Amino acid sequence: MEKDIRKGSHLDDAFAHVYNGAQSWIHVWPRDSALRDAVFRGKPSTGNQTQLPSVFNGSVASCVGSIGAQLAGVMTTRMYTDSIIQRTPFCNPLPFHHDSSGLNYRDPRGLLATIVLGGSVQPLDDNHGGYVVLPGSHQVIRTLTNDCRDQTGFVRPTAWELGEALRAYPQLLKIEPRSLGELKPGSVLFISNMLVYSNGPNMCINASPAGREMLYSDNFKMALAKQSSPSAGMALSGDDDGNNGPSRAELFMYEAPITYSMSVMPDGVFFDGVRNTWMSKDSHGPLFKL
């Protein structure tokens, strides 16, 4: 009945128009064998969209898990879930939130490891979906939630309602937000699940001159035209002059930074009984639409 009401009232269409957020795909690794090989077996990935950095010696999972264990102060870590997020041109910012409010376990040692992928010529920065954090907010959240065990004051159906929950706490309002600056492809960022953070909008401005020159070069257009398949992330519709090849809008997507994130949890944590939180939902359907 709920689906019929949403469809009949065009609620999904209205939400998509107002939402206009970055595209996200959650719990990806069980559905994508190429990504699974790259992350867990250390095999080279193929295609621009899933290009993982060469900084990892061995599998990505083992490196992230080892660093996560050291940061969390535990012997063993496990991957709770993963996600791919593409900051599409002119997408809206992500409201301030902390990930622990949307997870299905309660432990203050959980971490999020985010890798900036190499499928874009544009790094994450202040104009292109960069991170803004509230320094020290993880300590405030830890106190307010009794060591992450009680998230009652922060649980909301979607991430877009979490900012309202945070405004109720003066301790958080006193913290001055700080930008993390530029994160180039290959960068890896670890943050606590209790840290309050946001991602800015993708303004699609100030892209590097070298990157733009490469994007609109004939060689790049021809190479991109040969990749017109689901794994390439687009079906090319022709350029602005009617020629066979990528359009300006399709080239524009290569200014959309793409990240791969792994949610790392300590071994031995337990499911808390809460299902279908906002962190377990895709925003844009199957991964092949990337």
Side-chain angles (χ1 to χ4, degrees), residues 137-159:
S137 57
H138 61 297
Q139 300 290 2
V140 177
I141 294 297
R142 184 166 189 167
T143 299
L144 292 174
T145 60
N146 188 21
D147 259 359
C148 215
R149 288 189 287 266
D150 182 8
Q151 297 284 347
T152 305
F154 299 99
V155 174
R156 295 292 187 277
T158 70

Side-chain angles (χ1 to χ4, degrees), residues 92-201:
N92 287 330
L94 180 67
F96 278 102
H97 68 287
H98 58 100
D99 291 340
S100 61
S101 65
L103 297 174
N104 299 117
Y105 70 90
R106 302 286 181 250
D107 194 291
R109 299 167 296 178
L111 299 165
L112 183 71
T114 297
I115 305 166
V116 184
L117 300 184
S120 167
V121 299
Q122 178 61 54
L124 280 176
D125 60 26
D126 291 344
N127 292 321
H128 301 87
Y131 281 84
V132 179
V133 304
L134 298 186
S137 57
H138 61 297
Q139 300 290 2
V140 177
I141 294 297
R142 184 166 189 167
T143 299
L144 292 174
T145 60
N146 188 21
D147 259 359
C148 215
R149 288 189 287 266
D150 182 8
Q151 297 284 347
T152 305
F154 299 99
V155 174
R156 295 292 187 277
T158 70
W160 303 96
E161 300 169 76
L162 295 177
E164 176 270 332
L166 296 172
R167 286 193 292 271
Y169 299 94
Q171 306 96 309
L172 295 173
L173 297 177
K174 295 177 182 179
I175 302 176
E176 182 177 353
R178 182 177 301 173
S179 167
L180 295 186
E182 182 181 87
L183 294 176
K184 296 180 179 180
S187 301
V188 185
L189 174 67
F190 284 84
I191 61 174
S192 166
N193 285 339
M194 296 181 296
L195 182 72
V196 177
Y197 73 95
S198 170
N199 289 103

Side-chain angles (χ1 to χ4, degrees), residues 35-51:
L35 180 67
R36 191 162 56 247
D37 285 342
V39 172
F40 293 100
R41 299 182 178 90
K43 295 181 180 180
S45 57
T46 59
N48 285 330
Q49 297 289 4
T50 57
Q51 184 179 346

Side-chain angles (χ1 to χ4, degrees), residues 225-281:
K226 294 179 181 178
Q227 295 186 52
S228 54
S229 65
S231 63
M234 59 185 70
L236 303 180
S237 60
D239 64 21
D240 299 336
D241 297 322
N243 301 317
N244 183 26
S247 69
R248 181 173 293 271
E250 289 159 344
L251 287 171
F252 213 31
M253 292 305 295
Y254 273 76
E255 292 185 36
I258 306 167
T259 59
Y260 177 68
S261 295
M262 303 172 67
S263 180
V264 179
M265 65 180 184
D267 188 29
V269 299
F270 296 97
F271 173 55
D272 65 4
V274 180
R275 297 181 181 275
N276 298 323
T277 66
W278 63 267
M279 279 198 68
S280 64
K281 301 175 182 177

